[in-house]
Amino acid sequence: MRKALTLFFLLSAACAGRPDIHVAENADLQGYKRFAVVPYSEEEGLGREYAEAMGKALYALGRDIVPLEHVTAAFNEIGIKEGDELGLYNMLEIQKLTRADAVLFGSVHCSAMGKKQTTVLLLSTRGGDPLFRSEFRHENCGTREGAVSAA
């Protein structure tokens, strides 16, 4: 239970500001051991760094993380590019190719005139259901420091 709570807080409370957090009812985050962290959709070209930072943070909690090179190979095999929108079919294909229990992906929007927000979504590959979603605003959006703080 303690590790599940730690995972929950890692996924949700990384950045300054108050994250908007939604956890699916009866979501057993402890039951998901192997994660595929997909490069985030991000305008500055740092989506891969956001994914690497999150993968390292999850690994530090004892989770098995699919190497990013394997995720990239899965993208190539099914014909999608980093930053593309992922549908349920793509997510299930990534799961089959990487043998992940859940797929985590995010998007980062850092316009100078608008909001600076990172959204993280964790989907179950058992049924395609969202397990966890977090949206938060932060000032380091779109920087290498932002990637680390978002993790």
Side-chain angles (χ1 to χ4, degrees):
M1 181 67 168
R2 182 171 171 237
K3 283 188 178 183
L5 288 173
T6 304
L7 175 61
F8 171 77
F9 286 115
L10 169 72
L11 290 170
S12 64
C15 290
R18 287 201 153 113
D20 180 18
I21 302 165
H22 301 276
V23 179
E25 270 188 54
N26 301 321
D28 177 20
L29 296 179
Q30 186 67 21
Y32 294 85
K33 304 291 186 194
R34 184 168 167 83
F35 292 85
V37 182
V38 174
Y40 290 24
S41 170
E42 199 271 334
E43 297 128 3
E44 300 296 320
L46 296 172
R48 189 174 189 83
E49 289 188 40
Y50 275 78
E52 287 174 348
M54 181 59 82
K56 287 177 184 177
L58 289 169
Y59 181 78
L61 287 175
R63 298 294 181 217
D64 183 17
I65 305 301
V66 175
L68 204 47
E69 299 79 37
H70 294 179
V71 174
T72 302
F75 273 37
N76 292 337
E77 190 166 327
I78 59 179
I80 57 177
K81 296 177 187 163
E82 287 185 21
D84 283 354
E85 293 292 321
L86 292 179
L88 181 59
Y89 172 78
N90 299 128
M91 193 252 329
L92 292 173
E93 287 299 306
I94 290 168
Q95 181 271 331
K96 285 180 195 172
L97 294 169
T98 63
R99 296 187 179 135
D101 296 323
V103 177
L104 186 141
F105 57 95
S107 63
V108 182
H109 299 283
C110 304
S111 84
M113 301 296 282
K115 62 185 176 181
K116 297 174 186 256
Q117 178 172 305
T118 301
T119 302
V120 176
L121 184 64
L122 180 66
L123 294 179
S124 166
T125 56
R126 296 175 188 157
D129 300 319
L131 299 170
F132 175 92
R133 186 183 87 228
S134 176
E135 297 177 353
F136 48 87
R137 298 172 190 237
H138 54 104
E139 291 305 314
N140 290 332
C141 190
T143 65
R144 285 182 171 77
E145 295 80 19
V148 173
S149 67

